[in-house]
Amino acid sequence: MSQDKTAPTILIVDSDITLRLEMQETFHSYGFDVWVANNGKDAVKIITSLKPDAVLTAMSLPRLSGFDLCRELRQSLNIWTPVLLIAEKADELEAVLGFELGADDYLVKPLRMKEVVARVKSVIRRGSLCCDTPDVSGIHESEGLLENGALSLDPVHFTLYKNGDTVELTRKEYELVYYLLKNKGKAFTREHLKTIISGDDHQIDERIIDVFISRIRRRIEPHSRNPVYIKTVRNVGYMMKEIKEKKLSY
């Protein structure tokens, strides 16, 4: 294994030895330092101790599934290392669940190795630039806040507040809220918003955005059936409406 400290690092988790070796050799050829695991429990240990730049994991694993691995990292350990899930076949509901649990991308077999590498590089790049987090050295943290009505988003700590209370969001939900807040008053298509949360276009249906918007509305809107923040724009998609009032009735 290379000792080059600047090389990107990846953990590959798969019980299929043949595929795991193929991925390992491919990422080595692209300059990655590669660690491997054949089950979810060992993957958690490697992630917490070695802190790779990304995790590429099969959905079906012994001891801890890909879903459970995401859940363990995001909800129990609060670790947000980019995770890419590998599925046996395309399944929109499965993909939605993966994203809800905090996965960063969803790949479907058969894998095209050049595309896999490109997708991994993309999530690493998006992670390092997540939400254009500002350099707050020398400035007051509140200067970086994004505010709209009762909502306040702190991009330094990746946290959304509603009337001062923390709003629990997955990473994908946070990315959507951040983008819409940064662009208040502008309408975006579902296809465009899908690229915000998933980078390069792939097989996931753009209707996944409707699922995320519905979940976000349940958390931030005074009445989710009559939203005041995230408005549906007919024949377009969605927009964040600018709200002047600091507090709304909940």
Side-chain angles (χ1 to χ4, degrees):
M1 182 183 298
S2 169
Q3 297 300 312
D4 182 357
K5 298 298 183 182
T6 65
T9 56
I10 186 170
L11 171 64
I12 298 172
V13 192
D14 203 316
S15 57
D16 182 333
I17 297 175
T18 300
L19 180 58
R20 193 174 68 227
L21 286 174
E22 182 183 2
M23 290 190 290
Q24 184 176 3
E25 291 173 359
T26 298
F27 277 94
H28 268 311
S29 71
Y30 279 88
F32 281 75
D33 279 346
V34 182
W35 298 302
V36 297
N38 63 10
N39 66 80
K41 288 287 187 183
D42 287 347
V44 172
K45 294 176 182 177
I46 293 171
I47 293 165
T48 54
S49 60
L50 297 180
K51 298 179 175 59
D53 293 316
V55 178
L56 182 60
T57 179
M59 302 278 265
S60 179
L61 293 170
R63 302 182 67 191
L64 200 70
S65 71
F67 281 152
D68 289 334
L69 174 59
C70 270
R71 185 182 290 109
E72 177 77 8
L73 294 178
R74 303 318 194 212
Q75 299 178 12
S76 299
L77 300 175
N78 197 31
I79 292 174
W80 290 90
T81 301
V83 174
L84 299 88
L85 297 173
I86 301 173
E88 292 293 329
K89 60 181 181 179
D91 185 322
E92 185 177 347
L93 292 178
E94 187 178 68
V96 169
L97 178 57
F99 284 135
E100 288 179 349
L101 291 173
D104 294 83
D105 207 345
Y106 176 88
L107 299 90
V108 179
K109 294 181 180 179
L111 300 177
R112 296 185 292 272
M113 289 301 161
K114 287 185 178 180
E115 179 187 353
V116 173
V117 173
R119 300 266 281 269
V120 168
K121 288 181 176 180
S122 177
V123 298
I124 291 176
R125 184 169 60 251
R126 294 204 314 271
S128 66
L129 299 174
C130 180
C131 307
D132 301 318
T133 303
D135 178 1
V136 296
S137 57
I139 65 172
H140 194 278
E141 281 189 356
S142 64
E143 291 181 4
L145 293 178
L146 299 176
E147 296 182 312
N148 190 34
L151 302 179
S152 178
L153 186 145
D154 180 355
V156 177
H157 300 100
F158 307 105
T159 304
L160 178 70
Y161 300 95
K162 181 179 70 179
N163 286 327
D165 296 324
T166 301
V167 179
E168 296 295 333
L169 298 172
T170 66
R171 181 172 183 144
K172 297 298 183 187
E173 291 165 355
Y174 174 87
E175 289 175 356
L176 270 180
V177 172
Y178 176 89
Y179 188 78
L180 291 171
L181 272 172
K182 284 280 287 185
N183 295 279
K184 291 193 298 287
K186 296 180 182 178
F188 298 99
T189 65
R190 292 170 177 82
E191 183 66 26
H192 178 79
L193 292 174
K194 189 182 74 168
T195 67
I196 298 303
I197 66 168
S198 64
D200 299 329
D201 192 19
H202 52 81
Q203 297 154 319
I204 304 305
D205 195 289
E206 65 184 38
R207 287 173 296 179
I208 193 173
I209 295 299
D210 297 334
V211 175
F212 286 127
I213 293 295
S214 177
R215 288 169 56 86
I216 293 168
R217 279 173 168 166
R218 289 200 296 269
R219 290 168 170 82
I220 69 171
E221 297 286 358
H223 307 286
S224 59
R225 293 186 179 182
N226 185 27
V228 296
Y229 285 109
I230 300 179
K231 305 292 287 185
T232 301
V233 181
R234 194 184 185 96
N235 298 323
V236 180
Y238 297 103
M239 66 174 285
M240 175 70 73
K241 184 178 179 182
E242 187 167 5
I243 306 295
K244 300 298 184 182
E245 297 84 354
K246 286 295 183 181
K247 287 185 179 290
L248 296 175
S249 175
Y250 283 78

